[in-house]
Amino acid sequence: MSDLYRKGNTSRVTLSQLMLPSHSNFSGKIHGGHLLSLMDQIAFASGSKFSGKYCVTASVDRVDFLNPIEVGELVTLKASVIFVGNSSMVVGIRVEAQNIQTGKVKHCNSSYFTMIAKDEQGNNVRVPRLILTSKEEILRFVKTTQRLKLRHNYAELCADFDGDMHQAIHNIQQHFEVKFELPS
């Protein structure tokens, strides 16, 4: 197959790890920071596998912790490239935790990491184009374009205020129920 195009499944990576007491927070659940570290590792592996290059994390789009993870559960992360730009790739990640005694599996998190491919000098490099091979891959690709468009629109909306406090207050009052107590 040409390096100009690659199937998303060439980027699939699965990582499983038993959650230990050292991974827990003060409430006894697995610390979100530990989970984010695992997610960053698998995003790097997936992006590097797809591009054949060293990758860095550019952004993380939403991290919703849906269900807590307990000490002693087996956490499995699954990742693959679901969208490509010029030098960027969006890696979709699904996190599940399994109670190894009962076999019950729960979905704990889904997230999207944008990874940038780099050359040996640290410059951005073009990544292969994506070959979509299923209805599911097409839907993930379209949903990613919608998330990227929303992010772009949000950035433009925030830029409109650029230090104009009166405009910011007006916008807030139009959309939210808040009270202002500003020093004179």
Side-chain angles (χ1 to χ4, degrees), residues 60-80:
V60 179
D61 189 6
R62 286 196 69 114
V63 178
D64 293 323
F65 296 98
L66 307 173
N67 288 297
I69 299 171
E70 307 290 337
V71 170
E73 289 184 324
L74 181 65
V75 169
T76 299
L77 298 91
K78 298 175 184 177
S80 63

Side-chain angles (χ1 to χ4, degrees), residues 85-151:
N86 289 321
S87 61
S88 66
M89 297 155 285
V90 174
V91 176
I93 302 170
R94 181 178 174 92
V95 180
E96 297 176 339
Q98 181 181 31
N99 179 313
I100 56 176
Q101 294 167 333
T102 67
K104 183 178 178 189
V105 175
K106 61 186 173 185
H107 178 210
C108 298
N109 183 292
S110 289
S111 192
Y112 306 94
F113 279 55
T114 300
M115 307 302 290
I116 306 294
K118 300 285 188 175
D119 66 13
E120 293 77 20
Q121 289 74 42
N123 300 310
N124 295 358
V125 294
R126 186 171 168 85
V127 298
R129 307 295 85 199
L130 191 58
I131 300 171
L132 302 174
T133 62
S134 70
K135 193 175 185 178
E136 184 179 5
E137 287 180 355
I138 292 168
L139 290 174
R140 285 183 181 151
F141 191 93
V142 169
K143 285 181 180 180
T144 301
T145 62
Q146 292 170 340
R147 275 193 309 280
L148 293 172
K149 188 182 235 182
L150 284 172
R151 186 187 315 165

Side-chain angles (χ1 to χ4, degrees), residues 22-69:
S22 61
H23 302 138
S24 66
N25 59 24
F26 293 112
S27 69
K29 309 297 182 197
I30 298 308
H31 195 286
H34 179 70
L35 187 58
L36 285 169
S37 175
L38 293 175
M39 293 168 74
D40 192 52
Q41 289 174 41
I42 199 167
F44 167 82
S46 179
S48 295
K49 190 174 174 185
F50 182 81
S51 67
K53 302 291 181 184
Y54 177 79
C55 292
V56 297
T57 305
S59 68
V60 179
D61 189 6
R62 286 196 69 114
V63 178
D64 293 323
F65 296 98
L66 307 173
N67 288 297
I69 299 171

Side-chain angles (χ1 to χ4, degrees), residues 150-166:
L150 284 172
R151 186 187 315 165
H152 179 73
N153 290 344
Y154 178 76
E156 282 182 358
L157 177 67
C158 291
D160 289 346
F161 300 113
D162 200 27
D164 184 347
M165 189 60 64
H166 295 292

